[in-house]
mmCIF file of all heavy atoms in Angstrom:
data_model
loop_
_atom_site.group_PDB
_atom_site.id
_atom_site.type_symbol
_atom_site.label_atom_id
_atom_site.label_comp_id
_atom_site.label_asym_id
_atom_site.label_seq_id
_atom_site.Cartn_x
_atom_site.Cartn_y
_atom_site.Cartn_z
ATOM 1 N N GLU B 232 -19.431 -13.067 -55.328
ATOM 2 C CA GLU B 232 -18.842 -13.868 -56.399
ATOM 3 C C GLU B 232 -19.791 -14.951 -56.902
ATOM 4 O O GLU B 232 -19.766 -15.346 -58.048
ATOM 5 C CB GLU B 232 -17.566 -14.558 -55.910
ATOM 6 C CG GLU B 232 -16.384 -13.620 -55.896
ATOM 7 C CD GLU B 232 -15.311 -14.108 -54.958
ATOM 8 O OE1 GLU B 232 -15.119 -15.331 -54.892
ATOM 9 O OE2 GLU B 232 -14.701 -13.264 -54.300
ATOM 10 N N MET B 233 -20.624 -15.450 -56.013
ATOM 11 C CA MET B 233 -21.480 -16.552 -56.403
ATOM 12 C C MET B 233 -22.761 -16.081 -57.067
ATOM 13 O O MET B 233 -23.334 -16.775 -57.890
ATOM 14 C CB MET B 233 -21.824 -17.414 -55.198
ATOM 15 C CG MET B 233 -20.654 -18.307 -54.787
ATOM 16 S SD MET B 233 -20.835 -18.897 -53.113
ATOM 17 C CE MET B 233 -22.335 -19.843 -53.263
ATOM 18 N N GLU B 234 -23.231 -14.900 -56.728
ATOM 19 C CA GLU B 234 -24.558 -14.534 -57.180
ATOM 20 C C GLU B 234 -24.612 -13.644 -58.426
ATOM 21 O O GLU B 234 -25.635 -13.547 -59.072
ATOM 22 C CB GLU B 234 -25.310 -13.858 -56.028
ATOM 23 C CG GLU B 234 -25.779 -14.928 -55.044
ATOM 24 C CD GLU B 234 -26.408 -14.342 -53.814
ATOM 25 O OE1 GLU B 234 -26.801 -13.168 -53.865
ATOM 26 O OE2 GLU B 234 -26.505 -15.072 -52.814
ATOM 27 N N LEU B 235 -23.510 -12.987 -58.772
ATOM 28 C CA LEU B 235 -23.554 -12.089 -59.924
ATOM 29 C C LEU B 235 -23.310 -12.851 -61.222
ATOM 30 O O LEU B 235 -22.465 -13.731 -61.285
ATOM 31 C CB LEU B 235 -22.487 -11.015 -59.772
ATOM 32 C CG LEU B 235 -22.783 -9.982 -58.690
ATOM 33 C CD1 LEU B 235 -21.728 -8.894 -58.723
ATOM 34 C CD2 LEU B 235 -24.164 -9.378 -58.865
ATOM 35 N N ASP B 236 -24.054 -12.491 -62.304
ATOM 36 C CA ASP B 236 -23.735 -13.151 -63.563
ATOM 37 C C ASP B 236 -22.674 -12.330 -64.286
ATOM 38 O O ASP B 236 -22.480 -11.145 -64.038
ATOM 39 C CB ASP B 236 -25.009 -13.432 -64.372
ATOM 40 C CG ASP B 236 -25.349 -12.353 -65.359
ATOM 41 O OD1 ASP B 236 -24.520 -12.112 -66.253
ATOM 42 O OD2 ASP B 236 -26.444 -11.761 -65.215
ATOM 43 N N GLU B 237 -21.952 -12.987 -65.174
ATOM 44 C CA GLU B 237 -20.738 -12.389 -65.711
ATOM 45 C C GLU B 237 -20.970 -11.137 -66.536
ATOM 46 O O GLU B 237 -20.130 -10.255 -66.605
ATOM 47 C CB GLU B 237 -20.007 -13.424 -66.577
ATOM 48 C CG GLU B 237 -19.131 -14.338 -65.748
ATOM 49 C CD GLU B 237 -18.645 -15.519 -66.553
ATOM 50 O OE1 GLU B 237 -18.609 -15.407 -67.808
ATOM 51 O OE2 GLU B 237 -18.331 -16.541 -65.935
ATOM 52 N N ASN B 238 -22.152 -11.077 -67.233
ATOM 53 C CA ASN B 238 -22.412 -9.933 -68.103
ATOM 54 C C ASN B 238 -22.942 -8.722 -67.364
ATOM 55 O O ASN B 238 -23.161 -7.681 -67.953
ATOM 56 C CB ASN B 238 -23.440 -10.323 -69.177
ATOM 57 C CG ASN B 238 -22.921 -11.499 -69.969
ATOM 58 O OD1 ASN B 238 -21.728 -11.545 -70.269
ATOM 59 N ND2 ASN B 238 -23.805 -12.438 -70.267
ATOM 60 N N PHE B 239 -23.133 -8.936 -66.031
ATOM 61 C CA PHE B 239 -23.694 -7.832 -65.267
ATOM 62 C C PHE B 239 -22.695 -6.701 -65.154
ATOM 63 O O PHE B 239 -21.510 -6.912 -64.900
ATOM 64 C CB PHE B 239 -24.071 -8.336 -63.875
ATOM 65 C CG PHE B 239 -24.609 -7.260 -62.983
ATOM 66 C CD1 PHE B 239 -25.945 -6.901 -63.044
ATOM 67 C CD2 PHE B 239 -23.776 -6.600 -62.090
ATOM 68 C CE1 PHE B 239 -26.436 -5.915 -62.229
ATOM 69 C CE2 PHE B 239 -24.268 -5.609 -61.274
ATOM 70 C CZ PHE B 239 -25.604 -5.264 -61.335
ATOM 71 N N SER B 240 -23.187 -5.499 -65.394
ATOM 72 C CA SER B 240 -22.315 -4.341 -65.201
ATOM 73 C C SER B 240 -23.108 -3.280 -64.460
ATOM 74 O O SER B 240 -24.243 -2.970 -64.809
ATOM 75 C CB SER B 240 -21.844 -3.813 -66.557
ATOM 76 O OG SER B 240 -21.627 -2.424 -66.475
ATOM 77 N N LEU B 241 -22.472 -2.754 -63.458
ATOM 78 C CA LEU B 241 -23.141 -1.746 -62.649
ATOM 79 C C LEU B 241 -23.465 -0.519 -63.502
ATOM 80 O O LEU B 241 -24.505 0.118 -63.343
ATOM 81 C CB LEU B 241 -22.213 -1.362 -61.478
ATOM 82 C CG LEU B 241 -22.867 -0.943 -60.184
ATOM 83 C CD1 LEU B 241 -23.851 -2.000 -59.710
ATOM 84 C CD2 LEU B 241 -21.807 -0.686 -59.131
ATOM 85 N N ALA B 242 -22.595 -0.191 -64.494
ATOM 86 C CA ALA B 242 -22.767 0.999 -65.324
ATOM 87 C C ALA B 242 -24.050 0.916 -66.145
ATOM 88 O O ALA B 242 -24.740 1.915 -66.345
ATOM 89 C CB ALA B 242 -21.556 1.161 -66.238
ATOM 90 N N ASP B 243 -24.393 -0.335 -66.553
ATOM 91 C CA ASP B 243 -25.604 -0.491 -67.352
ATOM 92 C C ASP B 243 -26.845 -0.036 -66.610
ATOM 93 O O ASP B 243 -27.796 0.463 -67.210
ATOM 94 C CB ASP B 243 -25.780 -1.966 -67.744
ATOM 95 C CG ASP B 243 -24.800 -2.344 -68.852
ATOM 96 O OD1 ASP B 243 -24.252 -1.403 -69.481
ATOM 97 O OD2 ASP B 243 -24.579 -3.549 -69.048
ATOM 98 N N LEU B 244 -26.811 -0.235 -65.305
ATOM 99 C CA LEU B 244 -27.977 0.143 -64.506
ATOM 100 C C LEU B 244 -28.240 1.634 -64.616
ATOM 101 O O LEU B 244 -29.366 2.092 -64.501
ATOM 102 C CB LEU B 244 -27.768 -0.229 -63.034
ATOM 103 C CG LEU B 244 -27.870 -1.711 -62.679
ATOM 104 C CD1 LEU B 244 -27.622 -1.889 -61.201
ATOM 105 C CD2 LEU B 244 -29.258 -2.242 -63.049
ATOM 106 N N ALA B 245 -27.169 2.415 -64.825
ATOM 107 C CA ALA B 245 -27.302 3.870 -64.847
ATOM 108 C C ALA B 245 -27.805 4.396 -66.191
ATOM 109 O O ALA B 245 -28.237 5.531 -66.306
ATOM 110 C CB ALA B 245 -25.954 4.514 -64.495
ATOM 111 N N LYS B 246 -27.722 3.521 -67.206
ATOM 112 C CA LYS B 246 -28.179 3.962 -68.537
ATOM 113 C C LYS B 246 -29.691 4.174 -68.539
ATOM 114 O O LYS B 246 -30.432 3.434 -67.909
ATOM 115 C CB LYS B 246 -27.823 2.896 -69.581
ATOM 116 C CG LYS B 246 -26.374 2.932 -70.002
ATOM 117 C CD LYS B 246 -26.207 2.119 -71.274
ATOM 118 C CE LYS B 246 -24.735 2.075 -71.648
ATOM 119 N NZ LYS B 246 -24.407 0.779 -72.238
ATOM 120 N N GLU B 247 -30.103 5.143 -69.350
ATOM 121 C CA GLU B 247 -31.535 5.363 -69.451
ATOM 122 C C GLU B 247 -32.163 4.240 -70.247
ATOM 123 O O GLU B 247 -31.599 3.777 -71.237
ATOM 124 C CB GLU B 247 -31.801 6.695 -70.143
ATOM 125 C CG GLU B 247 -31.656 7.868 -69.194
ATOM 126 C CD GLU B 247 -31.863 9.167 -69.941
ATOM 127 O OE1 GLU B 247 -30.891 9.646 -70.546
ATOM 128 O OE2 GLU B 247 -32.994 9.659 -69.917
#
Side-chain angles (χ1 to χ4, degrees):
Chain B
E232 281 158 37
M233 284 161 62
E234 283 174 19
L235 289 186
D236 93 61
E237 276 168 23
N238 302 320
F239 178 84
S240 150
L241 211 54
D243 285 344
L244 286 179
K246 281 195 184 145
E247 280 177 276

